Amino acid sequence: MRRFLFFPLALALVLGCGGSAGPRPPVAGSQLHFVVQDSTAPALYADSVGFYAYFSQDAQVSLYYRSATGGQGNELLHFQVPMGTLYKRPNGTAFGPGDSIWISIVVRDPHKFDFDFQPTGLQFNPAAPAFLRVDYLHSNHDFDGDGLITAADTAIEARLDLWKNEAPSPDWYEGGAANVEALEEIESSIYSFTHYAVAW
């Protein structure tokens, strides 16, 4: 089984892993390079998932690829909401003991690592945010699309990050996630809900 890393540990690891030198200016989606699934990647087991997150207890959920036998295969995405992480509802009211909320995650495009998190506007504790891990093992590693996997693609892989978009704005913002290249994972703290995608 794969180990689950909370973001503080991932942040410590990023010093020895790939990652950008610092957040870049926002870019339009038409100018962003979205990481795509490889043509040999398994189909998704499901393209959406939902669960209740609770103020007073831990909760987590995953999206999977389909295994060769039709069941759950490798993880695509893992999302954790630790106890005390729920902060404010989309209407701005605060969460407290006993409160919960329904969370859904939808794969916006099965050919990309592009996800919609709902409800839009949900906020997490700035001091104890939620945690997201996206596994890009099954991505097309010919990142520059020239038909060859070369050193240029290795350099691009080191730049992969989790980008954020808040509709209806066309702009995407670089998140400064930890890119653990040895595990082919993007790991990030999540402070609010919107669209997230692995890109460069």
Side-chain angles (χ1 to χ4, degrees):
M1 294 181 64
R2 304 190 73 171
R3 57 195 173 88
F4 296 151
L5 296 175
F6 283 92
F7 188 67
L9 178 56
L11 187 59
L13 286 173
V14 76
L15 295 177
C17 307
S20 61
R24 286 176 276 170
V27 301
S30 60
Q31 298 175 328
L32 197 61
H33 303 278
F34 292 92
V35 175
V36 299
Q37 301 279 356
D38 190 74
S39 60
T40 63
L44 298 182
Y45 181 76
D47 62 6
S48 64
V49 66
F51 72 110
Y52 275 104
Y54 301 90
F55 181 85
S56 301
Q57 67 186 66
D58 297 341
Q60 59 185 353
V61 73
S62 295
L63 281 166
Y64 297 90
Y65 292 97
R66 189 176 298 277
S67 71
T69 57
Q72 291 181 349
N74 295 335
E75 273 190 328
L76 164 64
L77 174 152
H78 182 77
F79 183 65
Q80 297 173 335
V81 184
M83 179 176 62
T85 293
L86 290 179
Y87 186 53
K88 290 185 178 180
R89 298 176 180 84
N91 65 7
T93 59
F95 286 95
D99 289 343
S100 64
I101 193 168
W102 179 256
I103 286 175
S104 64
I105 306 171
V106 176
V107 180
R108 299 177 68 201
D109 184 337
H111 302 294
K112 298 178 181 178
F113 294 80
D114 185 3
F115 311 98
D116 178 49
F117 288 74
Q118 294 290 337
T120 299
L122 177 64
Q123 297 180 49
F124 299 103
N125 189 339
F131 169 79
L132 174 65
R133 187 189 69 231
V134 180
D135 294 56
Y136 62 89
L137 172 68
H138 292 297
S139 65
N140 181 352
H141 285 62
D142 177 20
F143 295 109
D144 62 9
D146 67 354
L148 300 171
I149 297 177
T150 65
D153 298 297
T154 301
I156 291 172
E157 182 175 0
R159 296 168 52 195
L160 299 183
D161 204 340
L162 189 70
W163 286 71
K164 173 180 178 179
N165 165 256
E166 294 186 357
S169 171
D171 291 335
W172 286 78
Y173 294 82
E174 190 174 22
N179 181 0
V180 188
E181 293 179 61
L183 299 176
E184 297 188 279
E185 297 175 355
I186 299 291
E187 302 179 350
S188 182
S189 289
I190 298 297
Y191 297 92
S192 63
F193 268 0
T194 183
H195 300 156
Y196 289 98
V198 179
W200 57 279

